[in-house]
Amino acid sequence: MKRNFKAVLSTLALLLGSTAVHAGPVILGGDDLTAHGSFNGTNNVAGWLYIEKAVSNLLTNQTRPVGSGFTSDIAALGSAFSTATSGNAGGGIRSAASELSKTVSFFDGAAAINQFFADLGTGVINPRVIWLAGNDAANDLDASEGLALTANAIAINNFVLSGGGLMSHGAEGAANLTIAYGWLTALLPGLNAVPGCNSNGATLTSAGNGAFPGLSDSDVNGSAGPCHNSFSGNFGGLTTLAFDGATPARSYIIGGGTGTLLQCGLPGQPPCPNQVPEPGVLSLLGLALLGMLGVTRRKVNYLRG
């Protein structure tokens, strides 16, 4: 009986933790490095080099199943295709993907974003990474697109849970932060995306270095460009990847590597990393396993009788 009980508990722990194991990597920044980078004819520099390196890490570490095949490497939401070589969000992600020899599909406008998530749900579209343009450059998110992202917040969360990579840029000013990160605060009401950030002296944390090898402080500090917002409050399954140069330091980039969770720890959600699940997290799956335990007990009692 003891062996059966241990087996059920092991299975429960495995299944509750499997969501985290298969979730994808996440980089959410308070930056507008889309506006502060360029392609110099040979290489991406400053903010656009950050985009290139960050996206490369996401593509390497995403675990999304191939299924019927990837329709593109990157789905860019909130920007149109652009051949601009500086100061343009769509140009930045296009140039980053070009240097990596990866493909980008662009979804510009609220209608296109809503259709993207509808097609993502049915499998018509299957990208490896979702990239969100932020709001402080040319060719980036507007208010209607921000509302579309917020309306599809659960779909964004589910994409990460499926193993997809996620990257987002920030915004300047409280009103624009609602455009850039309304979807995030919808998923994590205890998290605050707030104005204020100083990229001069910004540093990657040990978690940032571990999650994204190849990124360096110079890719996220004033050498790359400014930042305008930071994060505070309850980060859910996210962690700080970079602090800004203020005193006290503020969380400027948050996220994590493979296995990153957005929502966690509440009833119906997977447990947060390094935390014991609360009783309410025992979903129908957990209750089913407890039922299995009851069946095992009855079977043992029957055999004994």
Side-chain angles (χ1 to χ4, degrees):
M1 177 61 191
K2 182 184 285 188
R3 230 174 302 154
N4 288 329
F5 183 70
K6 287 183 176 179
V8 171
L9 287 181
S10 296
T11 303
L12 176 60
L14 178 63
L15 290 172
L16 284 173
S18 63
T19 300
V21 170
H22 297 292
V26 175
I27 302 178
L28 308 177
D31 68 278
D32 63 344
L33 295 179
T34 48
H36 299 279
S38 63
F39 180 73
N40 65 10
T42 304
N43 302 300
N44 287 313
V45 297
W48 284 19
L49 181 60
Y50 162 74
I51 298 172
E52 178 186 327
K53 289 187 175 183
V55 167
S56 177
N57 274 299
L58 293 174
L59 290 168
T60 299
N61 291 295
Q62 66 85 35
T63 60
R64 188 165 169 80
V66 175
S68 58
F70 291 116
T71 53
S72 66
D73 294 304
I74 304 160
L77 308 189
S79 287
F81 173 84
S82 173
T83 58
T85 56
S86 66
N88 183 291
I93 188 61
R94 176 205 52 78
S95 185
S98 177
E99 289 299 285
L100 297 170
S101 299
K102 302 299 181 182
T103 58
V104 186
S105 296
F106 290 86
F107 301 88
D108 188 39
I113 289 173
N114 285 322
Q115 189 62 52
F116 164 79
F117 284 109
D119 291 340
L120 181 67
T122 59
V124 173
I125 288 175
N126 186 30
R128 299 166 65 195
V129 167
I130 290 177
W131 175 88
L132 307 179
N135 174 265
D136 205 32
N139 190 17
D140 62 6
L141 291 169
D142 63 25
S144 64
E145 290 171 323
L147 289 173
L149 291 178
T150 300
N152 289 284
I154 296 299
I156 295 173
N157 183 62
N158 290 341
F159 178 79
V160 174
L161 287 177
S162 76
L166 175 65
M167 182 177 184
S168 180
H169 300 278
E172 184 174 7
N176 290 332
L177 278 171
T178 301
I179 297 173
Y181 280 119
W183 64 269
L184 180 61
T185 53
L187 292 173
L188 296 170
L191 183 147
N192 303 305
V194 295
C197 188
N198 180 9
S199 64
N200 292 323
T203 56
L204 289 163
T205 63
S206 58
N209 284 314
F212 304 108
L215 280 177
S216 63
D217 290 347
S218 63
D219 294 316
V220 300
N221 64 22
S223 299
C227 59
H228 297 291
N229 80 264
S230 53
F231 303 91
S232 63
N234 183 354
F235 289 2
L238 306 174
T239 191
T240 300
L241 301 182
F243 284 114
D244 78 346
T247 304
R250 295 168 287 199
S251 296
Y252 151 42
I253 302 174
I254 60 176
T258 302
T260 296
L261 300 172
L262 295 170
Q263 294 181 317
C264 67
L266 297 177
Q269 299 174 1
C272 291
N274 302 318
Q275 293 185 19
V276 177
E278 295 291 335
V281 180
L282 291 176
S283 59
L284 292 176
L285 174 61
L287 294 174
L289 286 169
L290 292 176
M292 290 168 52
L293 177 59
V295 171
T296 302
R297 283 175 173 163
R298 287 194 296 272
K299 183 176 180 181
V300 170
N301 290 334
Y302 173 81
L303 292 173
R304 285 176 177 172

